[in-house]
Short mmCIF file of all heavy atoms in Angstrom, two decimals:
data_model
loop_
_atom_site.label_atom_id
_atom_site.label_comp_id
_atom_site.label_asym_id
_atom_site.label_seq_id
_atom_site.Cartn_x
_atom_site.Cartn_y
_atom_site.Cartn_z
N ILE A 72 -1.92 4.98 -2.07
CA ILE A 72 -1.36 5.44 -0.78
C ILE A 72 -1.98 6.74 -0.34
O ILE A 72 -1.75 7.17 0.79
CB ILE A 72 0.18 5.51 -0.80
CG1 ILE A 72 0.68 6.59 -1.76
CG2 ILE A 72 0.79 4.17 -1.11
CD1 ILE A 72 2.18 6.85 -1.63
N ARG A 73 -2.78 7.36 -1.19
CA ARG A 73 -3.49 8.58 -0.76
C ARG A 73 -4.78 8.23 -0.01
O ARG A 73 -5.41 9.10 0.55
CB ARG A 73 -3.80 9.45 -1.97
CG ARG A 73 -2.52 10.02 -2.62
CD ARG A 73 -2.79 10.62 -3.95
NE ARG A 73 -3.05 9.55 -4.90
CZ ARG A 73 -3.04 9.67 -6.22
NH1 ARG A 73 -2.82 10.85 -6.75
NH2 ARG A 73 -3.27 8.65 -7.00
N SER A 74 -5.14 6.94 -0.02
CA SER A 74 -6.33 6.47 0.67
C SER A 74 -6.10 5.01 1.02
O SER A 74 -6.65 4.11 0.41
CB SER A 74 -7.56 6.63 -0.23
OG SER A 74 -8.72 6.17 0.43
N VAL A 75 -5.28 4.79 2.04
CA VAL A 75 -4.89 3.43 2.43
C VAL A 75 -6.06 2.71 3.11
O VAL A 75 -6.60 3.22 4.08
CB VAL A 75 -3.65 3.46 3.35
CG1 VAL A 75 -3.14 2.06 3.65
CG2 VAL A 75 -2.52 4.27 2.68
N PRO A 76 -6.44 1.51 2.63
CA PRO A 76 -7.62 0.82 3.14
C PRO A 76 -7.36 -0.02 4.38
O PRO A 76 -7.73 -1.20 4.44
CB PRO A 76 -8.04 -0.05 1.96
CG PRO A 76 -6.74 -0.40 1.30
CD PRO A 76 -5.88 0.83 1.45
N PHE A 77 -6.74 0.57 5.39
CA PHE A 77 -6.47 -0.12 6.64
C PHE A 77 -6.87 0.75 7.80
O PHE A 77 -6.87 1.98 7.70
CB PHE A 77 -4.97 -0.52 6.74
CG PHE A 77 -4.55 -1.40 5.61
CD1 PHE A 77 -3.79 -0.91 4.57
CD2 PHE A 77 -4.88 -2.75 5.59
CE1 PHE A 77 -3.39 -1.71 3.52
CE2 PHE A 77 -4.50 -3.56 4.53
CZ PHE A 77 -3.75 -3.04 3.50
N ALA A 78 -7.12 0.11 8.91
CA ALA A 78 -7.54 0.83 10.12
C ALA A 78 -6.37 1.65 10.69
O ALA A 78 -5.18 1.32 10.44
CB ALA A 78 -8.04 -0.15 11.19
N ASP A 79 -6.69 2.65 11.45
CA ASP A 79 -5.69 3.45 12.16
C ASP A 79 -4.79 2.50 12.98
O ASP A 79 -5.31 1.58 13.64
CB ASP A 79 -6.32 4.45 13.08
CG ASP A 79 -7.17 5.49 12.36
OD1 ASP A 79 -7.27 5.45 11.14
OD2 ASP A 79 -7.72 6.36 13.07
N GLY A 80 -3.51 2.78 12.98
CA GLY A 80 -2.58 2.01 13.83
C GLY A 80 -2.37 0.57 13.42
O GLY A 80 -1.93 -0.23 14.25
N SER A 81 -2.63 0.21 12.18
CA SER A 81 -2.51 -1.17 11.73
C SER A 81 -1.09 -1.66 11.60
O SER A 81 -0.85 -2.87 11.58
CB SER A 81 -3.19 -1.37 10.37
OG SER A 81 -4.57 -1.15 10.46
N PHE A 82 -0.11 -0.75 11.48
CA PHE A 82 1.26 -1.13 11.19
C PHE A 82 2.24 -0.52 12.18
O PHE A 82 2.01 0.54 12.73
CB PHE A 82 1.63 -0.73 9.77
CG PHE A 82 0.78 -1.38 8.72
CD1 PHE A 82 -0.33 -0.71 8.20
CD2 PHE A 82 1.05 -2.65 8.26
CE1 PHE A 82 -1.15 -1.32 7.29
CE2 PHE A 82 0.24 -3.27 7.32
CZ PHE A 82 -0.87 -2.60 6.82
N ASP A 83 3.35 -1.23 12.38
CA ASP A 83 4.43 -0.75 13.24
C ASP A 83 5.44 0.07 12.47
O ASP A 83 6.10 0.96 13.05
CB ASP A 83 5.16 -1.95 13.87
CG ASP A 83 4.21 -2.82 14.68
OD1 ASP A 83 3.71 -2.33 15.71
OD2 ASP A 83 3.98 -3.96 14.29
N ALA A 84 5.56 -0.21 11.18
CA ALA A 84 6.56 0.47 10.36
C ALA A 84 6.08 0.54 8.93
O ALA A 84 5.29 -0.30 8.48
CB ALA A 84 7.92 -0.27 10.46
N ALA A 85 6.60 1.54 8.21
CA ALA A 85 6.22 1.70 6.80
C ALA A 85 7.44 2.13 6.00
O ALA A 85 8.27 2.90 6.47
CB ALA A 85 5.13 2.75 6.68
N ILE A 86 7.50 1.63 4.78
CA ILE A 86 8.51 2.09 3.84
C ILE A 86 7.78 2.54 2.56
O ILE A 86 6.83 1.89 2.12
CB ILE A 86 9.59 1.02 3.52
CG1 ILE A 86 10.64 1.60 2.56
CG2 ILE A 86 8.96 -0.27 3.01
CD1 ILE A 86 11.88 0.75 2.40
N ALA A 87 8.20 3.67 2.05
CA ALA A 87 7.68 4.20 0.79
C ALA A 87 8.88 4.55 -0.08
O ALA A 87 9.44 5.62 0.03
CB ALA A 87 6.80 5.42 1.03
N SER A 88 9.28 3.58 -0.89
CA SER A 88 10.49 3.77 -1.69
C SER A 88 10.14 3.99 -3.15
O SER A 88 9.40 3.21 -3.74
CB SER A 88 11.48 2.63 -1.52
OG SER A 88 10.93 1.42 -1.95
N TYR A 89 10.65 5.05 -3.68
CA TYR A 89 10.51 5.42 -5.10
C TYR A 89 9.03 5.52 -5.52
O TYR A 89 8.63 5.03 -6.57
CB TYR A 89 11.28 4.44 -5.98
CG TYR A 89 12.74 4.56 -5.75
CD1 TYR A 89 13.42 3.63 -4.97
CD2 TYR A 89 13.47 5.61 -6.28
CE1 TYR A 89 14.77 3.75 -4.73
CE2 TYR A 89 14.82 5.75 -6.04
CZ TYR A 89 15.47 4.83 -5.26
OH TYR A 89 16.80 4.95 -5.02
N VAL A 90 8.22 6.15 -4.68
CA VAL A 90 6.81 6.32 -5.02
C VAL A 90 6.34 7.76 -4.82
O VAL A 90 5.53 8.25 -5.61
CB VAL A 90 5.90 5.33 -4.22
CG1 VAL A 90 5.92 5.60 -2.73
CG2 VAL A 90 4.48 5.34 -4.75
N LEU A 91 6.79 8.44 -3.77
CA LEU A 91 6.27 9.79 -3.47
C LEU A 91 6.51 10.79 -4.62
O LEU A 91 5.70 11.68 -4.83
CB LEU A 91 6.85 10.30 -2.16
CG LEU A 91 6.51 9.49 -0.92
CD1 LEU A 91 7.22 10.07 0.28
CD2 LEU A 91 5.02 9.45 -0.71
N HIS A 92 7.60 10.63 -5.33
CA HIS A 92 7.90 11.55 -6.44
C HIS A 92 6.97 11.35 -7.62
O HIS A 92 6.92 12.18 -8.52
CB HIS A 92 9.35 11.44 -6.86
CG HIS A 92 9.70 10.11 -7.43
ND1 HIS A 92 9.78 8.97 -6.64
CD2 HIS A 92 9.95 9.71 -8.70
CE1 HIS A 92 10.09 7.94 -7.42
NE2 HIS A 92 10.18 8.37 -8.65
N LEU A 93 6.21 10.26 -7.63
CA LEU A 93 5.27 9.99 -8.70
C LEU A 93 3.93 10.70 -8.50
O LEU A 93 3.14 10.81 -9.42
CB LEU A 93 5.03 8.49 -8.87
CG LEU A 93 6.26 7.64 -9.17
CD1 LEU A 93 5.92 6.17 -9.17
CD2 LEU A 93 6.86 8.05 -10.50
#
Side-chain angles (χ1 to χ4, degrees):
I72 66 170
R73 294 167 287 196
S74 180
V75 184
F77 301 103
D79 296 0
S81 296
F82 300 95
D83 301 294
I86 183 167
S88 60
Y89 295 101
V90 65
L91 297 177
H92 65 288
L93 300 175

